Amino acid sequence: MGECYYNQTVWFFYNSTGKEMTKIWRTKDKLVVSLGLLVCVIVILVNLLVMVAIAINRRFHYPIFYLLANLAAADLFSGIAYMFLMFNTGPRTIKLTVRTWFIRQSLLDISLTASVANLLAIAVERHQTVFQFQLHSKMSNQRVFVLISCIWCTATLIGFIPHLGWNCLCQLDSCSRMAPLYSKSYLVFWAVSNLLIFCVMLLNYLHIYCYVKGKTKRMSQHTNAQNRHKETMMNLMKTVFLVLGVFVVCWTPGLVVLLLDGVDCKSCDILEVEKYFLLLAELNSLINPFIYSYRDEEMMQTFRQILCFPCRQNIKCQDPIKSHILMQHMLQPTHRASTSHDSSTV
Protein backbone atom coordinates (compact mmCIF):
# COMPACT_ATOMS: atom_id res chain seq x y z
CA MET A 1 0.00 0.00 0.00
CA GLY A 2 1.33 3.42 -0.94
CA GLU A 3 1.14 6.71 0.87
CA CYS A 4 -2.28 7.77 2.14
CA TYR A 5 -3.66 11.26 1.55
CA TYR A 6 -6.31 11.65 4.25
CA ASN A 7 -5.35 15.26 4.94
CA GLN A 8 -5.41 16.42 1.32
CA THR A 9 -8.13 18.62 -0.13
CA VAL A 10 -10.75 17.52 -2.64
CA TRP A 11 -8.97 19.66 -5.22
CA PHE A 12 -5.87 17.47 -4.84
CA PHE A 13 -7.76 14.35 -5.98
CA TYR A 14 -9.60 16.14 -8.77
CA ASN A 15 -6.32 17.51 -10.04
CA SER A 16 -4.62 14.11 -9.92
CA THR A 17 -7.35 12.51 -12.04
CA GLY A 18 -7.67 15.42 -14.44
CA LYS A 19 -11.30 16.24 -13.62
CA GLU A 20 -12.03 19.91 -14.17
CA MET A 21 -12.80 22.15 -11.21
CA THR A 22 -13.86 25.73 -11.64
CA LYS A 23 -13.57 28.60 -9.18
CA ILE A 24 -16.21 30.78 -10.86
CA TRP A 25 -19.88 30.22 -11.63
CA ARG A 26 -20.22 29.65 -15.37
CA THR A 27 -23.53 29.88 -17.21
CA LYS A 28 -23.60 26.09 -17.55
CA ASP A 29 -23.08 25.65 -13.80
CA LYS A 30 -25.88 28.08 -12.96
CA LEU A 31 -28.23 26.36 -15.40
CA VAL A 32 -27.49 22.88 -14.03
CA VAL A 33 -27.91 23.97 -10.40
CA SER A 34 -31.10 25.97 -11.06
CA LEU A 35 -32.72 23.15 -13.00
CA GLY A 36 -31.52 20.59 -10.47
CA LEU A 37 -32.96 22.49 -7.49
CA LEU A 38 -36.29 22.94 -9.28
CA VAL A 39 -36.49 19.21 -9.99
CA CYS A 40 -35.55 18.44 -6.37
CA VAL A 41 -38.34 20.56 -4.92
CA ILE A 42 -40.92 18.97 -7.22
CA VAL A 43 -39.59 15.47 -6.49
CA ILE A 44 -39.87 16.00 -2.73
CA LEU A 45 -43.41 17.42 -2.93
CA VAL A 46 -44.92 14.86 -5.31
CA ASN A 47 -43.44 11.86 -3.51
CA LEU A 48 -44.59 13.25 -0.18
CA LEU A 49 -48.05 13.43 -1.77
CA VAL A 50 -47.87 9.72 -2.67
CA MET A 51 -46.84 8.76 0.87
CA VAL A 52 -49.66 10.81 2.43
CA ALA A 53 -52.20 9.37 -0.03
CA ILE A 54 -51.27 5.79 0.86
CA ALA A 55 -51.28 6.62 4.57
CA ILE A 56 -54.77 8.19 4.70
CA ASN A 57 -56.62 5.90 2.25
CA ARG A 58 -57.49 2.58 3.88
CA ARG A 59 -57.87 0.93 0.48
CA PHE A 60 -54.09 1.23 0.06
CA HIS A 61 -53.26 -0.48 3.36
CA TYR A 62 -51.73 -3.62 1.82
CA PRO A 63 -48.10 -4.81 1.58
CA ILE A 64 -47.71 -3.90 -2.09
CA PHE A 65 -48.80 -0.31 -1.42
CA TYR A 66 -46.60 -0.03 1.68
CA LEU A 67 -43.67 -1.03 -0.54
CA LEU A 68 -44.73 1.51 -3.16
CA ALA A 69 -44.88 4.12 -0.39
CA ASN A 70 -41.38 3.12 0.63
CA LEU A 71 -40.28 3.50 -2.99
CA ALA A 72 -41.75 7.01 -2.85
CA ALA A 73 -39.75 7.56 0.35
CA ALA A 74 -36.60 6.47 -1.49
CA ASP A 75 -37.45 8.90 -4.30
CA LEU A 76 -38.04 11.65 -1.74
CA PHE A 77 -34.67 10.86 -0.17
CA SER A 78 -33.17 11.01 -3.65
CA GLY A 79 -34.54 14.54 -4.00
CA ILE A 80 -32.95 15.54 -0.70
CA ALA A 81 -29.62 13.91 -1.66
CA TYR A 82 -29.61 15.60 -5.05
CA MET A 83 -30.46 18.94 -3.44
CA PHE A 84 -27.49 18.53 -1.09
CA LEU A 85 -25.38 17.84 -4.19
CA MET A 86 -26.65 21.01 -5.89
CA PHE A 87 -25.66 23.09 -2.86
CA ASN A 88 -22.19 21.52 -2.88
CA THR A 89 -21.25 21.43 -6.55
CA GLY A 90 -19.64 23.74 -9.10
CA PRO A 91 -17.21 26.23 -7.51
CA ARG A 92 -18.30 25.05 -4.05
CA THR A 93 -16.72 21.62 -4.67
CA ILE A 94 -13.23 23.03 -4.27
CA LYS A 95 -14.09 24.12 -0.71
CA LEU A 96 -15.40 20.72 0.42
CA THR A 97 -13.54 18.59 2.91
CA VAL A 98 -12.93 14.95 2.05
CA ARG A 99 -15.50 13.94 4.68
CA THR A 100 -18.20 16.22 3.25
CA TRP A 101 -17.47 14.98 -0.28
CA PHE A 102 -17.94 11.36 0.84
CA ILE A 103 -21.22 12.25 2.57
CA ARG A 104 -22.42 13.98 -0.61
CA GLN A 105 -21.77 10.89 -2.71
CA SER A 106 -22.99 8.44 -0.06
CA LEU A 107 -26.41 10.10 0.06
CA LEU A 108 -26.83 9.50 -3.68
CA ASP A 109 -25.66 5.89 -3.33
CA ILE A 110 -28.09 5.27 -0.48
CA SER A 111 -31.03 6.59 -2.50
CA LEU A 112 -30.21 4.33 -5.45
CA THR A 113 -29.62 1.27 -3.26
CA ALA A 114 -32.89 1.86 -1.38
CA SER A 115 -34.79 2.12 -4.68
CA VAL A 116 -33.19 -1.02 -6.12
CA ALA A 117 -33.71 -3.02 -2.91
CA ASN A 118 -37.32 -1.84 -2.72
CA LEU A 119 -38.01 -2.81 -6.33
CA LEU A 120 -36.46 -6.21 -5.63
CA ALA A 121 -38.75 -6.61 -2.59
CA ILE A 122 -41.76 -5.67 -4.74
CA ALA A 123 -40.68 -8.25 -7.33
CA VAL A 124 -40.49 -10.98 -4.68
CA GLU A 125 -43.84 -9.94 -3.18
CA ARG A 126 -45.52 -9.98 -6.59
CA HIS A 127 -44.00 -13.37 -7.41
CA GLN A 128 -45.40 -14.90 -4.23
CA THR A 129 -48.89 -13.43 -4.60
CA VAL A 130 -49.36 -13.81 -8.34
CA PHE A 131 -48.38 -17.47 -8.47
CA GLN A 132 -50.98 -18.07 -5.74
CA PHE A 133 -53.33 -15.98 -7.91
CA GLN A 134 -54.00 -13.51 -5.14
CA LEU A 135 -54.23 -9.76 -5.49
CA HIS A 136 -52.58 -8.93 -2.17
CA SER A 137 -49.97 -10.66 -0.06
CA LYS A 138 -50.93 -12.17 3.29
CA MET A 139 -47.73 -10.79 4.81
CA SER A 140 -48.42 -9.07 8.13
CA ASN A 141 -47.85 -5.35 8.57
CA GLN A 142 -45.14 -6.10 11.12
CA ARG A 143 -43.17 -8.15 8.59
CA VAL A 144 -43.58 -5.46 5.96
CA PHE A 145 -42.18 -2.81 8.30
CA VAL A 146 -39.30 -5.11 9.28
CA LEU A 147 -38.58 -5.60 5.56
CA ILE A 148 -38.64 -1.85 4.97
CA SER A 149 -36.26 -1.32 7.91
CA CYS A 150 -33.89 -3.92 6.47
CA ILE A 151 -33.97 -2.16 3.10
CA TRP A 152 -32.87 1.14 4.62
CA CYS A 153 -30.23 -0.45 6.85
CA THR A 154 -28.75 -2.27 3.85
CA ALA A 155 -28.87 0.88 1.69
CA THR A 156 -27.12 2.91 4.40
CA LEU A 157 -24.40 0.30 4.88
CA ILE A 158 -23.69 -0.05 1.15
CA GLY A 159 -23.85 3.72 0.63
CA PHE A 160 -21.10 4.31 3.17
CA ILE A 161 -18.76 1.51 1.99
CA PRO A 162 -16.44 3.96 0.14
CA HIS A 163 -16.38 6.20 3.21
CA LEU A 164 -15.45 3.20 5.36
CA GLY A 165 -12.45 2.20 3.28
CA TRP A 166 -13.20 1.15 -0.32
CA ASN A 167 -11.71 4.30 -1.81
CA CYS A 168 -8.47 5.49 -3.42
CA LEU A 169 -7.11 7.72 -0.65
CA CYS A 170 -4.12 5.40 -0.33
CA GLN A 171 -3.80 4.47 -4.01
CA LEU A 172 -4.08 7.43 -6.37
CA ASP A 173 -3.63 5.41 -9.54
CA SER A 174 -6.90 3.59 -8.83
CA CYS A 175 -9.00 6.77 -8.57
CA SER A 176 -11.85 7.18 -11.01
CA ARG A 177 -12.45 10.23 -13.16
CA MET A 178 -16.15 10.74 -12.43
CA ALA A 179 -15.77 10.33 -8.66
CA PRO A 180 -12.09 11.16 -8.01
CA LEU A 181 -12.10 9.82 -4.43
CA TYR A 182 -13.74 6.51 -5.37
CA SER A 183 -11.78 3.46 -6.41
CA LYS A 184 -12.36 2.18 -9.95
CA SER A 185 -12.91 -1.32 -8.59
CA TYR A 186 -15.77 -0.04 -6.44
CA LEU A 187 -17.42 1.58 -9.46
CA VAL A 188 -17.19 -1.71 -11.37
CA PHE A 189 -18.73 -3.59 -8.43
CA TRP A 190 -21.44 -0.96 -8.01
CA ALA A 191 -22.41 -0.78 -11.69
CA VAL A 192 -22.26 -4.53 -12.42
CA SER A 193 -24.22 -5.53 -9.31
CA ASN A 194 -27.01 -3.05 -10.05
CA LEU A 195 -27.19 -3.95 -13.73
CA LEU A 196 -27.42 -7.65 -12.83
CA ILE A 197 -30.24 -6.92 -10.38
CA PHE A 198 -32.02 -4.97 -13.13
CA CYS A 199 -31.81 -8.00 -15.42
CA VAL A 200 -33.05 -10.38 -12.72
CA MET A 201 -36.05 -8.16 -11.91
CA LEU A 202 -36.96 -7.71 -15.58
CA LEU A 203 -36.83 -11.46 -16.19
CA ASN A 204 -38.89 -12.03 -13.04
CA TYR A 205 -41.61 -9.62 -14.15
CA LEU A 206 -41.66 -11.04 -17.66
CA HIS A 207 -42.13 -14.50 -16.15
CA ILE A 208 -44.95 -13.27 -13.92
CA TYR A 209 -46.59 -11.34 -16.76
CA CYS A 210 -46.58 -14.37 -19.08
CA TYR A 211 -47.97 -16.56 -16.31
CA VAL A 212 -50.81 -14.15 -15.47
CA LYS A 213 -51.65 -13.61 -19.13
CA GLY A 214 -51.87 -17.35 -19.72
CA LYS A 215 -53.88 -17.86 -16.54
CA THR A 216 -56.41 -15.17 -17.44
CA LYS A 217 -56.98 -16.68 -20.88
CA ARG A 218 -57.91 -20.00 -19.28
CA MET A 219 -60.29 -18.21 -16.90
CA SER A 220 -62.00 -16.16 -19.60
CA GLN A 221 -65.32 -17.98 -19.15
CA HIS A 222 -65.61 -17.40 -15.42
CA THR A 223 -67.85 -15.00 -13.52
CA ASN A 224 -67.69 -11.23 -13.68
CA ALA A 225 -66.21 -11.08 -10.18
CA GLN A 226 -63.38 -13.37 -11.20
CA ASN A 227 -62.90 -11.39 -14.38
CA ARG A 228 -62.61 -8.17 -12.37
CA HIS A 229 -60.09 -9.87 -10.09
CA LYS A 230 -57.86 -11.04 -12.94
CA GLU A 231 -58.17 -7.65 -14.68
CA THR A 232 -57.09 -5.86 -11.50
CA MET A 233 -54.16 -8.23 -11.10
CA MET A 234 -53.04 -7.59 -14.66
CA ASN A 235 -53.36 -3.83 -14.19
CA LEU A 236 -51.35 -3.98 -10.98
CA MET A 237 -48.67 -5.98 -12.74
CA LYS A 238 -48.58 -3.46 -15.58
CA THR A 239 -48.12 -0.64 -13.07
CA VAL A 240 -45.19 -2.20 -11.20
CA PHE A 241 -43.66 -3.35 -14.49
CA LEU A 242 -43.93 0.20 -15.82
CA VAL A 243 -42.34 1.58 -12.64
CA LEU A 244 -39.47 -0.88 -13.00
CA GLY A 245 -39.10 -0.19 -16.72
CA VAL A 246 -38.85 3.56 -16.23
CA PHE A 247 -36.36 3.04 -13.40
CA VAL A 248 -34.14 0.89 -15.59
CA VAL A 249 -34.31 3.36 -18.50
CA CYS A 250 -33.42 6.31 -16.26
CA TRP A 251 -30.60 4.66 -14.30
CA THR A 252 -28.94 2.35 -16.83
CA PRO A 253 -27.10 5.10 -18.80
CA GLY A 254 -25.52 6.42 -15.60
CA LEU A 255 -24.51 2.93 -14.45
CA VAL A 256 -23.01 2.15 -17.86
CA VAL A 257 -20.95 5.35 -17.68
CA LEU A 258 -19.77 4.38 -14.18
CA LEU A 259 -18.79 0.97 -15.50
CA LEU A 260 -16.83 2.52 -18.40
CA ASP A 261 -15.05 4.76 -15.91
CA GLY A 262 -14.33 1.78 -13.68
CA VAL A 263 -12.71 -0.21 -16.49
CA ASP A 264 -10.70 2.91 -17.42
CA CYS A 265 -12.07 3.46 -20.92
CA LYS A 266 -9.64 6.05 -22.31
CA SER A 267 -11.62 6.79 -25.48
CA CYS A 268 -14.91 7.36 -23.62
CA ASP A 269 -15.73 11.01 -22.98
CA ILE A 270 -17.67 10.22 -19.83
CA LEU A 271 -17.17 13.58 -18.12
CA GLU A 272 -19.17 15.34 -20.85
CA VAL A 273 -22.32 13.30 -20.18
CA GLU A 274 -22.18 12.53 -16.45
CA LYS A 275 -24.24 15.54 -15.34
CA TYR A 276 -26.96 14.85 -17.90
CA PHE A 277 -27.19 11.17 -16.95
CA LEU A 278 -27.34 12.12 -13.27
CA LEU A 279 -30.21 14.50 -14.03
CA LEU A 280 -31.94 11.71 -15.99
CA ALA A 281 -31.61 9.44 -12.96
CA GLU A 282 -33.14 12.12 -10.74
CA LEU A 283 -36.07 12.55 -13.15
CA ASN A 284 -37.02 8.95 -12.38
CA SER A 285 -38.02 10.06 -8.88
CA LEU A 286 -40.31 12.63 -10.50
CA ILE A 287 -41.96 10.24 -12.96
CA ASN A 288 -43.15 7.54 -10.53
CA PRO A 289 -45.95 9.58 -8.86
CA PHE A 290 -47.39 10.36 -12.29
CA ILE A 291 -47.37 6.65 -13.11
CA TYR A 292 -49.36 5.90 -9.95
CA SER A 293 -51.91 8.62 -10.63
CA TYR A 294 -52.27 7.70 -14.31
CA ARG A 295 -52.72 3.99 -13.61
CA ASP A 296 -54.96 4.30 -10.54
CA GLU A 297 -58.10 6.44 -10.58
CA GLU A 298 -58.52 6.13 -6.82
CA MET A 299 -54.95 7.30 -6.22
CA MET A 300 -55.68 10.34 -8.37
CA GLN A 301 -58.88 11.00 -6.45
CA THR A 302 -56.96 10.78 -3.16
CA PHE A 303 -54.43 13.27 -4.53
CA ARG A 304 -57.27 15.66 -5.32
CA GLN A 305 -58.69 15.35 -1.82
CA ILE A 306 -55.31 16.14 -0.27
CA LEU A 307 -54.60 19.09 -2.58
CA CYS A 308 -58.08 20.53 -2.14
CA PHE A 309 -58.05 20.18 1.66
CA PRO A 310 -56.91 23.81 2.23
CA CYS A 311 -59.83 24.97 0.07
CA ARG A 312 -62.23 22.89 2.17
CA GLN A 313 -60.75 24.34 5.34
CA ASN A 314 -61.42 27.81 3.94
CA ILE A 315 -65.05 26.85 3.25
CA LYS A 316 -65.28 25.58 6.83
CA CYS A 317 -64.41 29.03 8.13
CA GLN A 318 -66.91 30.73 5.82
CA ASP A 319 -69.90 28.36 6.03
CA PRO A 320 -70.10 25.70 8.78
CA ILE A 321 -73.17 24.00 7.21
CA LYS A 322 -71.48 23.54 3.83
CA SER A 323 -68.34 22.42 5.62
CA HIS A 324 -70.28 19.70 7.51
CA ILE A 325 -71.76 18.36 4.28
CA LEU A 326 -68.35 18.47 2.59
CA MET A 327 -66.65 16.63 5.45
CA GLN A 328 -69.33 13.92 5.33
CA HIS A 329 -68.61 13.51 1.63
CA MET A 330 -64.86 13.21 2.30
CA LEU A 331 -65.39 10.55 4.95
CA GLN A 332 -67.64 8.46 2.70
CA PRO A 333 -66.05 5.72 0.56
CA THR A 334 -65.26 6.68 -3.00
CA HIS A 335 -67.79 6.17 -5.75
CA ARG A 336 -66.25 2.78 -6.46
CA ALA A 337 -66.73 1.43 -2.91
CA SER A 338 -69.26 -1.10 -4.14
CA THR A 339 -66.65 -2.85 -6.21
CA SER A 340 -63.86 -2.49 -3.57
CA HIS A 341 -60.24 -1.73 -4.38
CA ASP A 342 -59.94 -5.04 -6.25
CA SER A 343 -61.54 -3.30 -9.22
CA SER A 344 -59.16 -0.34 -9.24
CA THR A 345 -56.96 0.31 -12.22
CA VAL A 346 -53.64 0.18 -10.40
Side-chain angles (χ1 to χ4, degrees):
M1 181 180 296
E3 181 182 357
C4 295
Y5 300 91
Y6 297 112
N7 297 324
Q8 291 292 342
T9 63
V10 171
W11 178 86
F12 171 81
F13 294 95
Y14 274 64
N15 186 57
S16 66
T17 58
K19 185 170 184 179
E20 180 185 10
M21 289 188 71
T22 177
K23 296 182 180 180
I24 60 172
W25 283 99
R26 300 167 299 182
T27 303
K28 181 177 71 172
D29 299 323
K30 294 179 181 178
L31 180 62
V32 169
V33 171
S34 300
L35 182 60
L37 287 175
L38 176 62
V39 171
C40 289
V41 172
I42 299 174
V43 164
I44 292 172
L45 292 177
V46 296
N47 282 286
L48 184 61
L49 182 64
V50 172
M51 295 169 65
V52 172
I54 293 175
I56 68 173
N57 193 328
R58 291 181 177 272
R59 299 183 188 278
F60 298 141
H61 291 183
Y62 293 97
I64 180 62
F65 289 103
Y66 291 144
L67 291 175
L68 288 175
N70 193 47
L71 182 60
D75 288 336
L76 186 150
F77 185 84
S78 174
I80 295 173
Y82 196 76
M83 182 177 288
F84 185 78
L85 172 65
M86 291 296 99
F87 281 117
N88 294 279
T89 191
R92 293 194 182 98
T93 305
I94 200 171
K95 300 178 182 178
L96 297 180
T97 63
V98 170
R99 180 184 178 83
T100 305
W101 188 94
F102 272 122
I103 292 175
R104 188 188 76 173
Q105 301 303 123
S106 294
L107 292 177
L108 295 173
D109 295 345
I110 290 171
S111 67
L112 172 60
T113 304
S115 296
V116 172
N118 206 81
L119 286 169
L120 187 59
I122 291 174
V124 173
E125 190 272 349
R126 285 296 86 192
H127 190 277
Q128 290 179 341
T129 54
V130 168
F131 277 83
Q132 296 173 359
F133 211 69
Q134 297 173 345
L135 181 60
H136 296 296
S137 171
K138 295 181 179 179
M139 189 188 317
S140 66
N141 290 344
Q142 184 178 4
R143 288 187 177 183
V144 175
F145 295 139
V146 169
L147 176 60
I148 290 174
S149 299
C150 290
I151 288 173
W152 283 102
C153 289
T154 302
T156 303
L157 177 62
I158 294 179
F160 277 97
I161 282 179
H163 198 167
L164 296 174
W166 198 347
N167 52 57
C168 64
L169 297 185
C170 297
Q171 196 173 359
L172 288 182
D173 58 348
S174 68
C175 291
S176 73
R177 285 182 290 166
M178 285 183 61
L181 279 72
Y182 276 11
S183 172
K184 294 175 185 176
S185 59
Y186 174 75
L187 292 188
V188 172
F189 159 77
W190 177 252
V192 171
S193 59
N194 281 288
L195 290 172
L196 286 176
I197 293 175
F198 288 179
C199 293
V200 169
M201 288 191 292
L202 285 172
L203 291 175
N204 178 73
Y205 278 118
L206 286 173
H207 183 210
I208 295 175
Y209 185 81
C210 292
Y211 171 80
V212 174
K213 191 174 182 180
K215 185 82 171 180
T216 53
K217 284 184 178 180
R218 293 192 295 270
M219 295 178 60
S220 58
Q221 303 301 321
H222 288 214
T223 64
N224 290 334
Q226 289 173 317
N227 287 334
R228 285 198 302 269
H229 178 83
K230 68 184 182 182
E231 181 181 353
T232 303
M233 184 176 291
M234 283 295 292
N235 286 331
L236 183 55
M237 280 304 306
K238 289 177 181 178
T239 299
V240 294
F241 189 81
L242 184 58
V243 169
L244 175 63
V246 171
F247 183 86
V248 171
V249 169
C250 290
W251 276 99
T252 298
L255 290 174
V256 170
V257 169
L258 284 176
L259 181 59
L260 293 174
D261 187 19
V263 298
D264 199 20
C265 178
K266 300 294 185 182
S267 60
C268 305
D269 198 3
I270 57 176
L271 297 180
E272 288 296 321
V273 297
E274 62 165 334
K275 286 185 173 61
Y276 303 107
F277 286 168
L278 183 61
L279 181 59
L280 175 63
E282 181 61 20
L283 286 176
N284 171 248
S285 301
L286 179 62
I287 295 172
N288 283 341
F290 293 99
I291 296 177
Y292 305 146
S293 59
Y294 173 75
R295 296 290 307 172
D296 189 339
E297 182 182 343
E298 188 162 337
M299 181 74 79
M300 174 62 80
Q301 187 171 352
T302 307
F303 288 167
R304 292 195 189 102
Q305 290 179 354
I306 296 171
L307 295 174
C308 293
F309 184 73
C311 300
R312 294 188 175 105
Q313 288 296 96
N314 188 41
I315 293 175
K316 180 179 178 180
C317 297
Q318 296 177 4
D319 192 334
I321 297 177
K322 289 182 179 179
S323 173
H324 177 71
I325 296 174
L326 187 57
M327 289 303 296
Q328 283 186 330
H329 175 72
M330 289 177 63
L331 293 174
Q332 289 177 351
T334 61
H335 68 281
R336 293 182 303 149
S338 60
T339 60
S340 84
H341 190 68
D342 285 357
S343 61
S344 71
T345 57
V346 178

